[in-house]
Every structure is written in C-alpha cells, then in structure tokens.
C-alpha cells in the first residue's frame, strides 16, 4: 500500500518559469494565462518540429523525441524534447531553445529536472545533458551537478507552495527580464510596482515617529 500522501504534480516548465520570474510562473499556471509573443510562438513552432518524429537510431544511439517524463518522488512531470540513449548506457536529455545563447540559468534547471525524472524512471545515472540553441545551431553541454539536482527539489517545493497559496507575487526586480517576457501585458509590471509604492506610502503615512502619549509638564519645560 502506498502511504505517501499524493503530491500535486508540478509541470517541469513551471520550474523554468519560476526561476525566470515567480510572477510569470503564477500568471501562466495558476491564472491560466499564456500570452504568445514572438519568442514563445517561434519556440512553440520549433518544438512542434522536434515533436514530429518519435524516434530514430543514429550511429548506434537511440534518439527519442517528445518523451514524457515524471518523478513520483518529487511530484514532477513534463516532456523531454530529445533524449539520447547511448550504447554504453548513458542517457542524455537535450532541451531545444530558440535563443542564440544562454541568457538565464532557468534553462539549466529545466534540463536538470528532466534528468532527475529520467534517473528515477530508467534507474541509471544522468550526469549531463545539453541545451540546443536552434538559431545558432549550437549545443551547450550542461553537467547535472548535485547542486542543480538540489535546486530542482527546492524549486519544486517552492512552486507547489506558490500554487497552494494562490497569491500573485510582485514583479521581478530584474526589470531587464520583462523585455522578452510574453506575459508583460497581463502582468503590467509598471502598474503593479506603482500600486506597491502607493500601498507602502499610505502605510507609512500614519506611522507615529515620536511618542507623545506621556503628558509634558509645562513647569519643567523651557519656552
Ligand atoms: S513582465 Fe516582468 S514582472 Fe511581469 S511576469 Fe514578465 S518578467 Fe515577471
């Protein structure tokens, strides 16, 4: 009998989004919004092309496409764009990204989450994977370090908590991330920040600076 309480399943992509901006993650997953911008549209199209063939064998390496993966231990699930199964037993996930080069660590976290799932499902060690940048046709290898694996567990927990709390996080302080974010319209980061400032000002407006509750004796005071 399985006595482990059922965990709410967290999509692997949510870890990527949370690591980029918690507000983006919440908007996409908890409020069900997903705004396509040029980046996500191109990304979706490129992912579809990867998904068309399910597997092939090249130089003895079995290559699986769009492979569903999950971890019962962490309560994670998602899909790998590509997984290479090498003759020596090595398992190597490859995540396709439309950008030219690495910009944020969130892609590495997503890859590590796939590796964690593959390890649990297949039983072998997944020590590395790669991010394939479609525009530049460059493949960047990523070592699946113990730190990255710990990060996967940490982010899975924190994303689950975010979904349970159902509270929209504030906009990211790293405002340069908003430029390429497809959620910018739904998020309205400038309006949200202005509202935050107004709330803070109004709270501080009534803070008592000095304590005048003790009556001041006129005879002791100097005029
Ligand atoms: S626009 Fe900026 S603050 Fe809003 S979700 Fe995107 S990255 Fe986060």
């Amino acid at each position: 009998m399985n006595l482990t309480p059922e965990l709410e399943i967290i999509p692997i992509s949510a870890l990527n989004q949370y690591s980029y901006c918690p507000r983006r993650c919440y908007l996409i997953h908890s409020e069900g919004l997903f705004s396509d911008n040029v980046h996500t549209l191109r990304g979706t199209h490129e992912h579809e092309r990867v998904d068309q063939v399910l597997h092939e064998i090249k130089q003895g390496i079995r290559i699986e496409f769009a492979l569903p993966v999950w971890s019962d231990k962490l309560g994670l699930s998602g899909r790998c764009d590509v997984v290479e199964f090498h003759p020596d037993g090595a398992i190597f996930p490859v995540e396709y990204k439309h950008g030219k080069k690495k910009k944020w660590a969130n892609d590495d976290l997503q890859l590590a989450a796939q590796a964690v799932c593959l390890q649990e499902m297949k039983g072998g060690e997944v020590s590395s994977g790669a991010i394939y940048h479609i525009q530049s046709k460059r493949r960047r290898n990523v070592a699946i370090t113990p730190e990255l694996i710990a990060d996967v567990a940490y982010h899975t927990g924190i994303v689950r908590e975010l979904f349970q709390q159902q509270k929209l996080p504030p906009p990211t302080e790293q405002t340069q991330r908003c430029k390429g974010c497809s959620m910018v319209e739904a998020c309205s980061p400038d309006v949200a920040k202005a509202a935050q400032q107004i709330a803070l000002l109004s709270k501080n407006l009534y803070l008592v600076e000095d304590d005048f509750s003790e009556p001041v004796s006129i005879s002791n005071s100097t005029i």
Side-chain angles (χ1 to χ4, degrees):
M1 195 199 308
N2 182 9
L3 295 178
T4 312
E6 277 201 16
L7 291 169
E8 184 191 351
I9 302 298
I10 303 300
I12 288 176
S13 58
L15 271 51
N16 184 329
Q17 285 135 8
Y18 186 95
S19 168
Y20 188 84
C21 169
R23 188 174 172 91
R24 175 177 166 79
C25 177
Y26 187 86
L27 283 169
I28 291 173
H29 293 277
S30 273
E31 299 203 341
L33 296 171
F34 192 88
S35 302
D36 274 325
N37 66 6
V38 68
H39 301 294
T40 56
L41 277 174
R42 193 189 297 164
T44 307
H45 177 63
E46 283 159 354
H47 274 254
E48 277 166 4
R49 283 206 327 240
V50 173
D51 293 350
Q52 279 164 10
V53 188
L54 285 179
H55 76 266
E56 63 184 24
I57 295 178
K58 261 188 190 170
Q59 296 166 351
I61 302 168
R62 181 180 170 86
I63 305 168
E64 301 226 359
F65 300 88
L67 185 70
V69 290
W70 62 88
S71 160
D72 289 332
K73 281 185 201 154
L74 290 180
L76 260 183
S77 81
R79 195 172 56 159
C80 295
D81 288 333
V82 171
V83 183
E84 297 175 0
F85 294 91
H86 290 250
D88 64 357
I91 302 172
F92 195 88
V94 183
E95 174 67 13
Y96 275 53
K97 294 292 173 197
H98 66 84
K100 276 185 189 163
K101 58 181 180 185
K102 178 185 178 179
K103 269 185 115 179
W104 319 110
N106 48 314
D107 292 342
D108 295 6
L109 183 67
Q110 184 173 2
L111 187 72
Q114 294 171 359
V116 166
C117 292
L118 283 164
Q119 266 179 200
E120 190 179 316
M121 290 166 66
K122 307 288 180 188
E125 195 197 352
V126 181
S127 57
S128 58
I131 307 288
Y132 180 76
H133 297 275
I134 295 170
Q135 255 180 293
S136 56
K137 297 190 173 59
R138 292 277 170 87
R139 182 162 147 153
R140 179 174 60 82
N141 284 1
V142 178
I144 309 299
T145 61
E147 290 76 20
L148 261 182
I149 290 174
D151 240 19
V152 170
Y154 170 77
H155 277 88
T156 307
I158 211 162
V159 168
R160 185 171 289 119
E161 222 173 275
L162 174 73
F163 292 170
Q164 280 163 358
Q165 285 170 351
Q166 297 195 356
K167 190 164 174 258
L168 181 64
T172 177
E173 293 296 322
Q174 294 170 281
T175 50
Q176 73 276 22
R177 296 190 171 198
C178 300
K179 284 182 199 149
C181 175
S182 61
M183 300 305 294
V184 71
E185 268 186 43
C187 163
S188 305
D190 295 338
V191 177
K193 275 186 190 154
Q196 262 183 321
Q197 275 173 348
I198 289 168
L200 191 70
L201 282 174
S202 122
K203 191 176 154 205
N204 291 340
L205 194 62
Y206 299 105
L207 278 185
V208 179
E209 204 167 77
D210 296 309
D211 186 1
F212 294 117
S213 56
E214 288 293 317
V216 177
S217 162
I218 296 192
S219 57
N220 291 341
S221 63
T222 52
I223 299 175

